[in-house]
């Protein structure tokens, strides 16, 4: 059996890459992908701890998290497409997403 530390290190690396992308990138699509990478790192932790302690709750949390992530992607892409239609850019600095009024 693979030690749990390997999964935790993998999840920490994925979370760090995602956090770096959210902080440094200005393209909205890349930021959404980095947020998904951070959520997947959390899912790896849930599954690893669920396998380490014989309990089904880790997998149940992962199913809930994947459902929430799918809804987040749908809403995020809809907002992004609306912003692109209005501003003709996906750059977060240029788009002015804080003032998306009619």
């Amino acid at each position: 059996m693979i030690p749990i530390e390997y999964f935790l290190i993998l999840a920490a690396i994925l979370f760090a890459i995602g956090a770096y992308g959210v902080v440094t990138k200005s393209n909205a699509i890349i930021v959404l992908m980095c947020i998904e990478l951070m959520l997947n790192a959390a899912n790896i932790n849930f599954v690893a701890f669920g396998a380490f302690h014989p309990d089904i709750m880790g997998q149940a949390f992962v199913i809930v998290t994947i459902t929430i992530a799918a809804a987040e992607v749908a809403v995020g892409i809809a907002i992004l497409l609306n912003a692109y239609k209005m501003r003709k850019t996906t750059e977060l600095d240029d788009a002015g997403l804080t003032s998306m009024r009619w």
Side-chain angles (χ1 to χ4, degrees):
M1 184 172 176
I2 300 173
I4 194 169
E5 291 85 14
Y6 292 164
F7 293 109
L8 298 180
I9 290 170
L10 173 66
I13 290 170
L14 287 177
F15 192 86
I17 291 171
Y20 175 77
V22 167
V23 171
T24 60
K25 301 299 179 185
S26 64
N27 191 344
I29 296 172
I30 294 175
V31 170
L32 285 175
M33 287 172 34
C34 291
I35 290 171
E36 290 298 320
L37 194 63
M38 291 167 49
L39 286 172
N40 286 332
N43 285 339
I44 290 173
N45 280 334
F46 281 136
V47 170
F49 283 120
F52 184 69
H53 301 290
D55 192 10
I56 196 71
M57 289 306 294
Q59 284 81 6
F61 278 130
V62 167
I63 290 172
V64 170
T65 307
I66 288 173
T67 305
I68 291 171
E72 178 255 335
V73 166
V75 171
I77 294 295
I79 291 171
L80 184 63
L81 287 174
N82 190 19
Y84 181 76
K85 185 172 72 172
M86 293 175 68
R87 308 277 190 220
K88 302 294 186 225
T89 184
T90 59
E91 296 295 320
L92 293 176
D93 297 333
D94 301 335
L97 294 176
T98 58
S99 63
M100 286 185 55
R101 293 187 179 174
W102 293 96

Coordinates of all heavy atoms in Angstrom, one line a residue:
M1 N 0.8 -1.2 0.0 CA 0.0 0.0 0.0 C 0.9 1.2 0.0 O 1.9 1.3 0.7 CB -0.9 0.0 1.2 CG -1.9 1.1 1.3 SD -3.0 0.9 2.6 CE -3.9 2.4 2.5
I2 N 0.5 2.2 -0.8 CA 1.2 3.5 -0.9 C 1.0 4.3 0.4 O -0.1 4.5 0.9 CB 0.8 4.3 -2.1 CG1 1.0 3.5 -3.4 CG2 1.5 5.6 -2.2 CD1 0.4 4.1 -4.6
P3 N 2.1 4.8 1.0 CA 2.0 5.6 2.2 C 1.1 6.9 2.0 O 1.1 7.4 0.9 CB 3.4 6.0 2.6 CG 4.2 5.0 1.9 CD 3.5 4.6 0.7
I4 N 0.4 7.3 3.0 CA -0.5 8.5 2.9 C 0.3 9.8 2.6 O -0.2 10.7 2.0 CB -1.4 8.6 4.1 CG1 -2.5 9.6 3.9 CG2 -0.6 9.0 5.3 CD1 -3.6 9.6 4.9
E5 N 1.6 9.8 3.1 CA 2.4 11.0 2.9 C 2.6 11.3 1.4 O 2.7 12.5 1.0 CB 3.8 10.8 3.5 CG 3.7 10.8 5.0 CD 3.5 9.4 5.6 OE1 3.5 8.4 4.8 OE2 3.1 9.3 6.8
Y6 N 2.7 10.3 0.5 CA 2.8 10.6 -0.9 C 1.6 11.3 -1.5 O 1.7 12.2 -2.2 CB 3.0 9.3 -1.7 CG 4.3 8.6 -1.4 CD1 4.5 7.3 -1.7 CD2 5.4 9.2 -0.7 CE1 5.7 6.6 -1.5 CE2 6.6 8.6 -0.5 CZ 6.8 7.3 -0.9 OH 7.9 6.7 -0.6
F7 N 0.4 10.9 -1.0 CA -0.8 11.6 -1.5 C -0.9 13.0 -0.9 O -1.3 13.9 -1.6 CB -2.0 10.8 -1.0 CG -2.2 9.5 -1.7 CD1 -2.0 8.3 -1.0 CD2 -2.5 9.4 -3.1 CE1 -2.1 7.1 -1.6 CE2 -2.6 8.2 -3.7 CZ -2.4 7.0 -3.0
L8 N -0.5 13.2 0.3 CA -0.5 14.5 0.9 C 0.5 15.5 0.2 O 0.2 16.6 0.0 CB -0.2 14.4 2.4 CG -1.3 13.6 3.2 CD1 -0.9 13.6 4.7 CD2 -2.6 14.2 3.0
I9 N 1.7 14.9 -0.1 CA 2.7 15.7 -0.8 C 2.1 16.1 -2.2 O 2.3 17.3 -2.7 CB 4.0 15.0 -0.9 CG1 4.6 14.9 0.5 CG2 5.0 15.7 -1.9 CD1 5.8 14.0 0.6
L10 N 1.5 15.1 -2.9 CA 1.0 15.4 -4.2 C -0.1 16.5 -4.1 O -0.2 17.4 -4.9 CB 0.4 14.1 -4.9 CG -0.4 14.3 -6.2 CD1 0.5 14.8 -7.3 CD2 -1.1 13.0 -6.5
A11 N -1.0 16.4 -3.2 CA -2.1 17.3 -3.0 C -1.5 18.7 -2.6 O -2.0 19.7 -3.1 CB -3.0 16.9 -1.9
A12 N -0.5 18.8 -1.8 CA 0.1 20.0 -1.5 C 0.8 20.7 -2.7 O 0.7 21.9 -2.9 CB 1.2 19.9 -0.4
I13 N 1.4 19.9 -3.5 CA 2.0 20.5 -4.7 C 1.0 21.0 -5.7 O 1.1 22.1 -6.2 CB 2.9 19.4 -5.4 CG1 4.2 19.1 -4.6 CG2 3.3 19.8 -6.8 CD1 5.0 18.0 -5.0
L14 N -0.1 20.2 -5.9 CA -1.2 20.7 -6.8 C -1.9 21.9 -6.2 O -2.2 22.8 -7.0 CB -2.2 19.6 -6.9 CG -1.8 18.4 -7.8 CD1 -2.9 17.4 -7.8 CD2 -1.5 18.8 -9.2
F15 N -2.1 22.0 -4.9 CA -2.7 23.1 -4.3 C -1.8 24.4 -4.4 O -2.3 25.5 -4.7 CB -3.0 22.9 -2.8 CG -3.9 23.9 -2.2 CD1 -5.3 23.8 -2.3 CD2 -3.4 25.0 -1.6 CE1 -6.1 24.8 -1.8 CE2 -4.2 26.0 -1.0 CZ -5.5 25.9 -1.1
A16 N -0.5 24.2 -4.3 CA 0.5 25.3 -4.4 C 0.5 25.8 -5.9 O 0.5 27.0 -6.1 CB 1.8 24.9 -4.0
I17 N 0.5 24.9 -6.8 CA 0.4 25.3 -8.2 C -0.8 26.1 -8.5 O -0.8 27.1 -9.2 CB 0.6 24.1 -9.2 CG1 2.0 23.5 -9.0 CG2 0.3 24.5 -10.6 CD1 2.1 22.2 -9.7
G18 N -2.0 25.6 -8.0 CA -3.2 26.3 -8.2 C -3.3 27.7 -7.5 O -3.7 28.7 -8.1
A19 N -2.8 27.8 -6.3 CA -2.7 29.0 -5.6 C -1.8 30.0 -6.3 O -2.1 31.2 -6.4 CB -2.3 28.8 -4.2
Y20 N -0.7 29.5 -6.8 CA 0.2 30.4 -7.6 C -0.5 30.9 -8.9 O -0.3 32.1 -9.2 CB 1.5 29.6 -8.0 CG 2.4 30.4 -8.8 CD1 3.2 31.4 -8.3 CD2 2.5 30.2 -10.2 CE1 4.1 32.1 -9.1 CE2 3.4 30.9 -11.0 CZ 4.2 31.9 -10.4 OH 5.0 32.6 -11.2
G21 N -1.2 30.1 -9.5 CA -1.9 30.5 -10.7 C -3.0 31.5 -10.5 O -3.2 32.5 -11.2
V22 N -3.7 31.3 -9.4 CA -4.8 32.3 -9.0 C -4.2 33.7 -8.7 O -4.7 34.7 -9.1 CB -5.6 31.8 -7.8 CG1 -6.5 32.8 -7.3 CG2 -6.5 30.6 -8.3
V23 N -3.1 33.7 -8.0 CA -2.5 34.9 -7.6 C -1.8 35.7 -8.7 O -1.8 36.9 -8.8 CB -1.5 34.7 -6.4 CG1 -0.7 35.9 -6.1 CG2 -2.2 34.2 -5.2
T24 N -1.1 34.9 -9.6 CA -0.3 35.6 -10.6 C -0.9 35.8 -12.0 O -0.5 36.7 -12.7 CB 1.0 34.8 -10.8 OG1 0.7 33.5 -11.2 CG2 1.8 34.7 -9.5
K25 N -1.8 35.0 -12.4 CA -2.4 35.1 -13.7 C -3.5 36.1 -13.8 O -4.2 36.3 -12.9 CB -2.8 33.7 -14.2 CG -1.8 32.6 -14.2 CD -0.6 33.0 -15.1 CE 0.4 31.9 -15.1 NZ 1.6 32.3 -15.9
S26 N -3.6 36.7 -15.0 CA -4.7 37.7 -15.2 C -5.8 37.2 -16.1 O -6.8 37.9 -16.3 CB -4.1 39.0 -15.6 OG -3.5 38.8 -16.9
N27 N -5.6 36.1 -16.8 CA -6.6 35.5 -17.7 C -7.6 34.8 -16.9 O -7.3 33.9 -16.1 CB -5.9 34.6 -18.7 CG -6.9 34.2 -19.8 OD1 -8.1 34.4 -19.7 ND2 -6.3 33.7 -20.9
A28 N -8.9 35.1 -17.1 CA -9.9 34.5 -16.2 C -10.1 33.0 -16.4 O -10.4 32.3 -15.5 CB -11.3 35.2 -16.6
I29 N -9.8 32.5 -17.6 CA -10.0 31.1 -17.9 C -8.9 30.3 -17.1 O -9.1 29.3 -16.5 CB -9.9 30.8 -19.4 CG1 -11.1 31.4 -20.1 CG2 -9.8 29.3 -19.7 CD1 -11.0 31.4 -21.6
I30 N -7.7 30.8 -17.1 CA -6.6 30.2 -16.4 C -6.9 30.2 -14.9 O -6.6 29.3 -14.1 CB -5.2 30.8 -16.7 CG1 -4.9 30.6 -18.2 CG2 -4.1 30.3 -15.8 CD1 -3.7 31.2 -18.7
V31 N -7.4 31.3 -14.4 CA -7.8 31.4 -13.0 C -8.8 30.4 -12.6 O -8.7 29.8 -11.5 CB -8.2 32.9 -12.6 CG1 -8.8 32.9 -11.2 CG2 -7.1 33.8 -12.7
L32 N -9.8 30.2 -13.4 CA -10.8 29.2 -13.2 C -10.2 27.8 -13.2 O -10.6 26.9 -12.3 CB -12.0 29.3 -14.2 CG -12.9 30.4 -14.0 CD1 -13.9 30.4 -15.2 CD2 -13.7 30.3 -12.7
M33 N -9.3 27.5 -14.1 CA -8.6 26.2 -14.1 C -7.8 26.0 -12.9 O -7.7 24.9 -12.3 CB -7.7 26.1 -15.4 CG -8.5 26.0 -16.6 SD -7.6 26.0 -18.2 CE -6.1 25.3 -17.8
C34 N -7.1 27.1 -12.4 CA -6.3 26.9 -11.1 C -7.2 26.7 -9.9 O -6.8 26.0 -9.0 CB -5.5 28.2 -11.0 SG -4.1 28.3 -12.2
I35 N -8.4 27.3 -9.9 CA -9.3 27.1 -8.8 C -9.7 25.6 -8.8 O -9.8 24.9 -7.7 CB -10.5 28.0 -8.9 CG1 -10.1 29.4 -8.5 CG2 -11.6 27.6 -7.9 CD1 -11.1 30.5 -8.8
E36 N -10.0 25.1 -10.0 CA -10.4 23.6 -10.1 C -9.2 22.8 -9.7 O -9.4 21.7 -9.0 CB -10.8 23.3 -11.5 CG -12.1 23.9 -12.0 CD -13.2 23.4 -11.1 OE1 -13.3 22.2 -10.8 OE2 -14.1 24.2 -10.8
L37 N -8.0 23.2 -10.0 CA -6.8 22.4 -9.5 C -6.7 22.4 -8.0 O -6.4 21.3 -7.4 CB -5.5 23.0 -10.1 CG -4.3 22.2 -10.1 CD1 -4.4 20.9 -10.8 CD2 -3.1 23.0 -10.6
M38 N -7.0 23.5 -7.3 CA -7.0 23.5 -5.9 C -8.1 22.7 -5.3 O -7.9 22.0 -4.3 CB -7.2 25.0 -5.4 CG -6.0 25.8 -5.7 SD -6.2 27.6 -5.6 CE -6.9 27.8 -4.0
L39 N -9.3 22.7 -5.9 CA -10.4 21.8 -5.5 C -10.0 20.3 -5.6 O -10.3 19.5 -4.8 CB -11.7 22.1 -6.2 CG -12.4 23.4 -5.8 CD1 -13.5 23.7 -6.7 CD2 -12.9 23.3 -4.4
N40 N -9.3 20.0 -6.7 CA -8.9 18.6 -6.9 C -7.9 18.2 -5.9 O -7.8 17.0 -5.5 CB -8.4 18.4 -8.3 CG -9.6 18.3 -9.3 OD1 -10.7 18.0 -9.0 ND2 -9.3 18.7 -10.5
A41 N -7.0 19.1 -5.5 CA -6.0 18.8 -4.4 C -6.8 18.5 -3.1 O -6.4 17.6 -2.4 CB -5.1 20.0 -4.3
A42 N -7.8 19.2 -2.8 CA -8.6 19.0 -1.6 C -9.3 17.6 -1.7 O -9.3 16.8 -0.8 CB -9.6 20.1 -1.4
N43 N -9.7 17.2 -2.9 CA -10.4 15.9 -3.1 C -9.4 14.8 -2.9 O -9.7 13.8 -2.4 CB -11.0 15.9 -4.5 CG -12.2 16.6 -4.7 OD1 -12.9 16.9 -3.7 ND2 -12.6 17.0 -5.9
I44 N -8.1 15.0 -3.4 CA -7.1 14.0 -3.1 C -6.9 13.8 -1.6 O -6.8 12.6 -1.1 CB -5.8 14.4 -3.8 CG1 -6.0 14.2 -5.3 CG2 -4.6 13.5 -3.4 CD1 -4.8 14.7 -6.1
N45 N -6.9 14.9 -0.9 CA -6.8 14.7 0.6 C -8.0 14.0 1.2 O -7.8 13.1 2.1 CB -6.7 16.1 1.2 CG -5.3 16.7 1.1 OD1 -4.3 16.0 1.0 ND2 -5.2 18.0 1.2
F46 N -9.2 14.3 0.8 CA -10.3 13.6 1.3 C -10.3 12.1 1.0 O -10.5 11.3 1.9 CB -11.6 14.2 0.7 CG -12.1 15.5 1.3 CD1 -12.5 16.5 0.5 CD2 -12.1 15.6 2.6 CE1 -13.0 17.7 1.0 CE2 -12.5 16.8 3.2 CZ -13.0 17.8 2.4
V47 N -9.9 11.7 -0.2 CA -9.8 10.3 -0.6 C -8.7 9.6 0.2 O -8.9 8.5 0.7 CB -9.7 10.2 -2.1 CG1 -9.4 8.7 -2.5 CG2 -11.0 10.6 -2.8
A48 N -7.6 10.3 0.3 CA -6.4 9.7 1.0 C -6.8 9.5 2.5 O -6.5 8.4 3.0 CB -5.2 10.6 0.9
F49 N -7.4 10.4 3.2 CA -7.7 10.2 4.6 C -8.9 9.2 4.7 O -9.0 8.5 5.7 CB -8.1 11.6 5.2 CG -6.9 12.4 5.6 CD1 -6.7 13.6 5.0 CD2 -5.9 11.9 6.4 CE1 -5.6 14.4 5.3 CE2 -4.8 12.6 6.7 CZ -4.6 13.9 6.2
G50 N -9.8 9.2 3.7 CA -10.9 8.2 3.8 C -10.3 6.8 3.6 O -10.9 5.8 4.2
A51 N -9.3 6.6 2.8 CA -8.7 5.3 2.6 C -7.8 4.9 3.8 O -7.7 3.8 4.2 CB -7.8 5.3 1.4
F52 N -7.2 5.9 4.4 CA -6.3 5.7 5.6 C -7.2 5.3 6.8 O -6.8 4.3 7.5 CB -5.5 6.9 5.9 CG -4.5 6.7 7.0 CD1 -3.4 5.9 6.8 CD2 -4.7 7.4 8.2 CE1 -2.5 5.7 7.9 CE2 -3.8 7.2 9.2 CZ -2.7 6.4 9.1
H53 N -8.3 6.0 7.1 CA -9.2 5.6 8.1 C -10.4 4.9 7.4 O -11.1 5.6 6.6 CB -9.7 6.8 8.9 CG -8.6 7.6 9.5 ND1 -7.9 7.1 10.6 CD2 -8.1 8.8 9.3 CE1 -7.0 8.0 11.0 NE2 -7.1 9.0 10.2
P54 N -10.6 3.7 7.6 CA -11.7 3.0 6.8 C -13.1 3.6 7.1 O -13.8 3.2 8.0 CB -11.7 1.5 7.3 CG -10.7 1.5 8.4 CD -10.0 2.8 8.5
D55 N -13.4 4.6 6.3 CA -14.6 5.4 6.5 C -15.1 5.8 5.1 O -14.2 6.2 4.2 CB -14.4 6.6 7.4 CG -15.7 7.2 7.8 OD1 -16.7 6.7 7.6 OD2 -15.6 8.3 8.4
I56 N -16.3 5.9 4.9 CA -16.9 6.3 3.6 C -17.1 7.8 3.5 O -17.3 8.3 2.4 CB -18.2 5.6 3.3 CG1 -18.6 5.6 1.9 CG2 -19.3 6.1 4.2 CD1 -17.8 4.8 1.0
M57 N -16.9 8.5 4.6 CA -17.1 10.0 4.6 C -16.2 10.8 3.6 O -16.6 11.8 3.1 CB -17.1 10.5 6.0 CG -18.2 10.1 6.9 SD -19.8 10.4 6.2 CE -19.8 12.2 6.3
G58 N -15.0 10.3 3.5 CA -14.1 11.0 2.5 C -14.6 10.9 1.1 O -14.6 12.0 0.4
Q59 N -15.1 9.8 0.7 CA -15.6 9.7 -0.7 C -16.9 10.4 -0.8 O -17.2 11.0 -1.9 CB -15.8 8.2 -1.0 CG -14.6 7.5 -1.4 CD -13.8 7.0 -0.2 OE1 -14.2 7.1 1.0 NE2 -12.6 6.5 -0.4
A60 N -17.7 10.5 0.3 CA -19.0 11.3 0.2 C -18.7 12.8 0.1 O -19.3 13.5 -0.7 CB -19.8 11.0 1.5
F61 N -17.7 13.3 0.8 CA -17.2 14.7 0.7 C -16.7 14.9 -0.7 O -17.0 16.0 -1.3 CB -16.2 15.0 1.7 CG -16.8 15.4 3.0 CD1 -16.3 14.8 4.2 CD2 -17.8 16.3 3.2 CE1 -16.8 15.1 5.4 CE2 -18.3 16.6 4.4 CZ -17.8 16.0 5.6
V62 N -16.0 14.0 -1.3 CA -15.5 14.2 -2.7 C -16.7 14.3 -3.7 O -16.6 15.2 -4.6 CB -14.6 13.0 -3.1 CG1 -14.3 13.0 -4.6 CG2 -13.3 13.2 -2.3
I63 N -17.7 13.5 -3.5 CA -18.8 13.6 -4.5 C -19.5 14.9 -4.3 O -19.9 15.6 -5.3 CB -19.8 12.4 -4.2 CG1 -19.2 11.1 -4.7 CG2 -21.1 12.7 -4.9 CD1 -19.9 9.9 -4.3
V64 N -19.7 15.4 -3.1 CA -20.3 16.7 -2.9 C -19.4 17.8 -3.4 O -19.8 18.8 -4.1 CB -20.5 17.0 -1.4 CG1 -20.9 18.4 -1.1 CG2 -21.6 16.0 -0.9
T65 N -18.1 17.7 -3.2 CA -17.1 18.7 -3.8 C -17.1 18.8 -5.3 O -17.1 19.8 -5.9 CB -15.7 18.5 -3.2 OG1 -15.8 18.3 -1.8 CG2 -14.8 19.5 -3.6
I66 N -17.2 17.6 -5.9 CA -17.2 17.5 -7.4 C -18.5 18.2 -7.9 O -18.5 18.9 -8.9 CB -17.0 16.1 -7.9 CG1 -15.6 15.6 -7.6 CG2 -17.4 16.0 -9.3 CD1 -15.3 14.2 -7.9
T67 N -19.6 17.9 -7.2 CA -20.9 18.5 -7.6 C -20.8 20.1 -7.5 O -21.2 20.8 -8.4 CB -22.0 18.0 -6.7 OG1 -22.0 16.6 -6.8 CG2 -23.3 18.5 -7.2
I68 N -20.3 20.5 -6.4 CA -20.1 22.0 -6.2 C -19.2 22.6 -7.2 O -19.4 23.7 -7.8 CB -19.7 22.3 -4.8 CG1 -20.8 22.0 -3.8 CG2 -19.3 23.8 -4.6 CD1 -20.4 22.0 -2.4
A69 N -18.1 21.9 -7.6 CA -17.1 22.3 -8.6 C -17.8 22.4 -9.9 O -17.5 23.4 -10.7 CB -15.9 21.4 -8.6
A70 N -18.6 21.5 -10.3 CA -19.3 21.5 -11.6 C -20.3 22.7 -11.7 O -20.3 23.4 -12.7 CB -20.1 20.2 -11.8
A71 N -21.0 23.0 -10.6 CA -21.8 24.1 -10.6 C -21.0 25.4 -10.6 O -21.4 26.4 -11.3 CB -22.7 24.1 -9.3
E72 N -19.9 25.5 -9.9 CA -19.0 26.6 -10.0 C -18.5 26.9 -11.4 O -18.4 28.0 -11.8 CB -17.9 26.4 -9.0 CG -16.9 27.6 -9.0 CD -15.6 27.2 -9.7 OE1 -15.3 26.0 -9.7 OE2 -14.9 28.2 -10.1
V73 N -18.1 25.8 -12.1 CA -17.7 26.0 -13.5 C -18.8 26.5 -14.4 O -18.5 27.4 -15.2 CB -17.1 24.6 -14.0 CG1 -16.9 24.7 -15.5 CG2 -15.8 24.3 -13.3
A74 N -20.0 26.0 -14.2 CA -21.1 26.4 -15.1 C -21.4 27.9 -14.8 O -21.5 28.7 -15.8 CB -22.3 25.6 -14.8
V75 N -21.4 28.3 -13.6 CA -21.7 29.7 -13.3 C -20.5 30.6 -13.7 O -20.7 31.7 -14.3 CB -22.0 29.9 -11.8 CG1 -22.1 31.4 -11.4 CG2 -23.3 29.2 -11.5
G76 N -19.3 30.1 -13.4 CA -18.1 30.9 -13.8 C -18.0 31.1 -15.3 O -17.6 32.2 -15.8
I77 N -18.2 30.1 -16.1 CA -18.1 30.2 -17.5 C -19.2 31.1 -18.1 O -19.0 31.9 -19.0 CB -18.2 28.8 -18.2 CG1 -16.9 28.0 -17.8 CG2 -18.3 28.9 -19.7 CD1 -15.6 28.6 -18.3
A78 N -20.4 31.0 -17.5 CA -21.5 31.9 -17.9 C -21.2 33.4 -17.7 O -21.4 34.2 -18.5 CB -22.8 31.5 -17.2
I79 N -20.6 33.6 -16.5 CA -20.2 35.0 -16.2 C -19.1 35.4 -17.1 O -19.0 36.6 -17.6 CB -19.8 35.1 -14.7 CG1 -21.0 35.0 -13.8 CG2 -19.1 36.5 -14.4 CD1 -20.7 34.9 -12.3
L80 N -18.1 34.6 -17.4 CA -17.0 34.9 -18.2 C -17.5 35.1 -19.7 O -17.0 36.1 -20.3 CB -16.0 33.7 -18.2 CG -14.7 33.9 -19.0 CD1 -13.9 35.1 -18.4 CD2 -13.9 32.7 -18.9
L81 N -18.4 34.3 -20.2 CA -18.9 34.6 -21.5 C -19.7 35.9 -21.6 O -19.5 36.6 -22.6 CB -19.8 33.4 -21.9 CG -19.1 32.1 -22.3 CD1 -20.1 31.0 -22.5 CD2 -18.2 32.3 -23.4
N82 N -20.4 36.2 -20.6 CA -21.1 37.5 -20.6 C -20.1 38.6 -20.5 O -20.3 39.7 -21.2 CB -22.1 37.6 -19.4 CG -23.0 38.8 -19.4 OD1 -23.1 39.3 -20.5 ND2 -23.5 39.1 -18.3
A83 N -19.1 38.5 -19.7 CA -18.0 39.6 -19.7 C -17.3 39.7 -21.0 O -17.0 40.8 -21.4 CB -17.1 39.3 -18.5
Y84 N -17.0 38.6 -21.7 CA -16.4 38.6 -22.9 C -17.3 39.3 -24.0 O -16.8 40.0 -24.8 CB -16.0 37.2 -23.4 CG -15.3 37.2 -24.7 CD1 -13.9 37.7 -24.8 CD2 -15.9 36.9 -25.9 CE1 -13.3 37.7 -26.0 CE2 -15.2 36.9 -27.1 CZ -13.9 37.3 -27.2 OH -13.3 37.4 -28.4
K85 N -18.6 39.0 -23.9 CA -19.5 39.6 -24.9 C -19.6 41.1 -24.7 O -19.6 41.9 -25.7 CB -20.9 39.0 -24.7 CG -21.9 39.5 -25.7 CD -23.2 38.7 -25.6 CE -23.9 39.1 -24.4 NZ -25.3 38.5 -24.3
M86 N -19.5 41.6 -23.4 CA -19.6 43.0 -23.2 C -18.3 43.7 -23.3 O -18.2 44.8 -23.9 CB -20.1 43.2 -21.7 CG -21.5 42.7 -21.5 SD -22.1 42.9 -19.8 CE -22.1 44.6 -19.6
R87 N -17.2 43.1 -22.9 CA -15.9 43.8 -22.9 C -14.9 43.4 -24.0 O -13.9 44.0 -24.1 CB -15.2 43.6 -21.5 CG -16.1 44.0 -20.4 CD -16.1 45.4 -20.1 NE -16.7 45.6 -18.8 CZ -17.5 46.6 -18.5 NH1 -17.7 47.5 -19.4 NH2 -18.1 46.8 -17.4
K88 N -15.1 42.3 -24.6 CA -14.3 41.7 -25.7 C -12.9 41.3 -25.2 O -11.9 41.4 -25.9 CB -14.1 42.7 -26.8 CG -15.4 43.1 -27.5 CD -16.1 41.9 -28.2 CE -17.3 42.3 -28.9 NZ -18.4 41.5 -28.7
T89 N -12.8 40.9 -23.9 CA -11.5 40.5 -23.4 C -11.8 39.5 -22.2 O -12.9 39.6 -21.6 CB -10.6 41.6 -22.9 OG1 -9.4 41.1 -22.4 CG2 -11.3 42.4 -21.8
T90 N -10.9 38.6 -22.0 CA -11.0 37.7 -20.8 C -9.9 38.0 -19.8 O -9.8 37.3 -18.8 CB -10.8 36.2 -21.2 OG1 -9.6 36.1 -21.8 CG2 -11.9 35.8 -22.1
E91 N -9.2 39.1 -20.0 CA -8.2 39.5 -19.0 C -8.9 40.2 -17.8 O -9.8 41.0 -18.0 CB -7.2 40.5 -19.6 CG -6.4 39.9 -20.7 CD -5.4 38.9 -20.2 OE1 -4.9 39.0 -19.2 OE2 -5.3 37.9 -21.0
L92 N -8.5 39.7 -16.6 CA -9.2 40.2 -15.4 C -8.9 41.7 -15.1 O -9.8 42.4 -14.6 CB -8.8 39.4 -14.2 CG -9.3 37.9 -14.2 CD1 -8.8 37.2 -13.0 CD2 -10.8 37.9 -14.3
D93 N -7.7 42.1 -15.5 CA -7.4 43.5 -15.3 C -8.1 44.5 -16.2 O -8.5 45.6 -15.8 CB -5.9 43.7 -15.4 CG -5.1 42.9 -14.4 OD1 -5.6 42.6 -13.3 OD2 -3.9 42.6 -14.7
D94 N -8.3 44.0 -17.4 CA -9.0 44.9 -18.4 C -10.5 44.8 -18.5 O -11.1 45.7 -18.9 CB -8.4 44.5 -19.8 CG -6.9 44.7 -19.9 OD1 -6.4 45.5 -19.2 OD2 -6.3 44.0 -20.8
A95 N -11.0 43.7 -18.0 CA -12.4 43.4 -18.1 C -13.3 44.3 -17.2 O -14.4 44.6 -17.6 CB -12.7 42.0 -17.9
G96 N -12.8 44.7 -16.1 CA -13.7 45.4 -15.2 C -14.8 44.7 -14.7 O -16.0 45.1 -14.8
L97 N -14.6 43.5 -14.2 CA -15.7 42.6 -13.8 C -16.5 43.1 -12.6 O -17.6 42.5 -12.3 CB -15.2 41.2 -13.6 CG -14.6 40.4 -14.8 CD1 -14.0 39.1 -14.4 CD2 -15.6 40.3 -15.8
T98 N -16.0 44.1 -11.9 CA -16.7 44.6 -10.8 C -17.9 45.4 -11.2 O -18.7 45.7 -10.4 CB -15.7 45.4 -9.9 OG1 -15.2 46.4 -10.6 CG2 -14.7 44.5 -9.3
S99 N -17.9 45.9 -12.4 CA -19.0 46.8 -12.9 C -19.7 46.2 -14.0 O -19.9 46.7 -15.1 CB -18.4 48.1 -13.3 OG -17.5 48.0 -14.4
M100 N -20.3 45.0 -13.8 CA -21.1 44.3 -14.8 C -22.5 44.6 -14.7 O -23.3 43.7 -14.3 CB -20.8 42.8 -14.8 CG -19.4 42.4 -15.4 SD -19.2 40.7 -15.5 CE -20.6 40.1 -16.4
R101 N -22.9 45.8 -14.9 CA -24.3 46.1 -14.8 C -24.9 46.2 -16.2 O -24.2 46.3 -17.2 CB -24.5 47.5 -14.1 CG -24.1 47.4 -12.6 CD -24.4 48.7 -11.9 NE -24.1 48.6 -10.5 CZ -24.1 49.6 -9.7 NH1 -24.5 50.7 -10.1 NH2 -23.8 49.4 -8.4
W102 N -26.2 46.3 -16.3 CA -26.8 46.5 -17.6 C -26.4 47.8 -18.2 O -26.3 48.1 -19.2 CB -28.4 46.4 -17.5 CG -28.8 45.1 -17.0 CD1 -29.1 44.7 -15.7 CD2 -29.0 43.9 -17.8 NE1 -29.4 43.4 -15.7 CE2 -29.4 42.9 -17.0 CE3 -28.8 43.6 -19.2 CZ2 -29.6 41.6 -17.4 CZ3 -29.1 42.4 -19.6 CH2 -29.5 41.4 -18.7

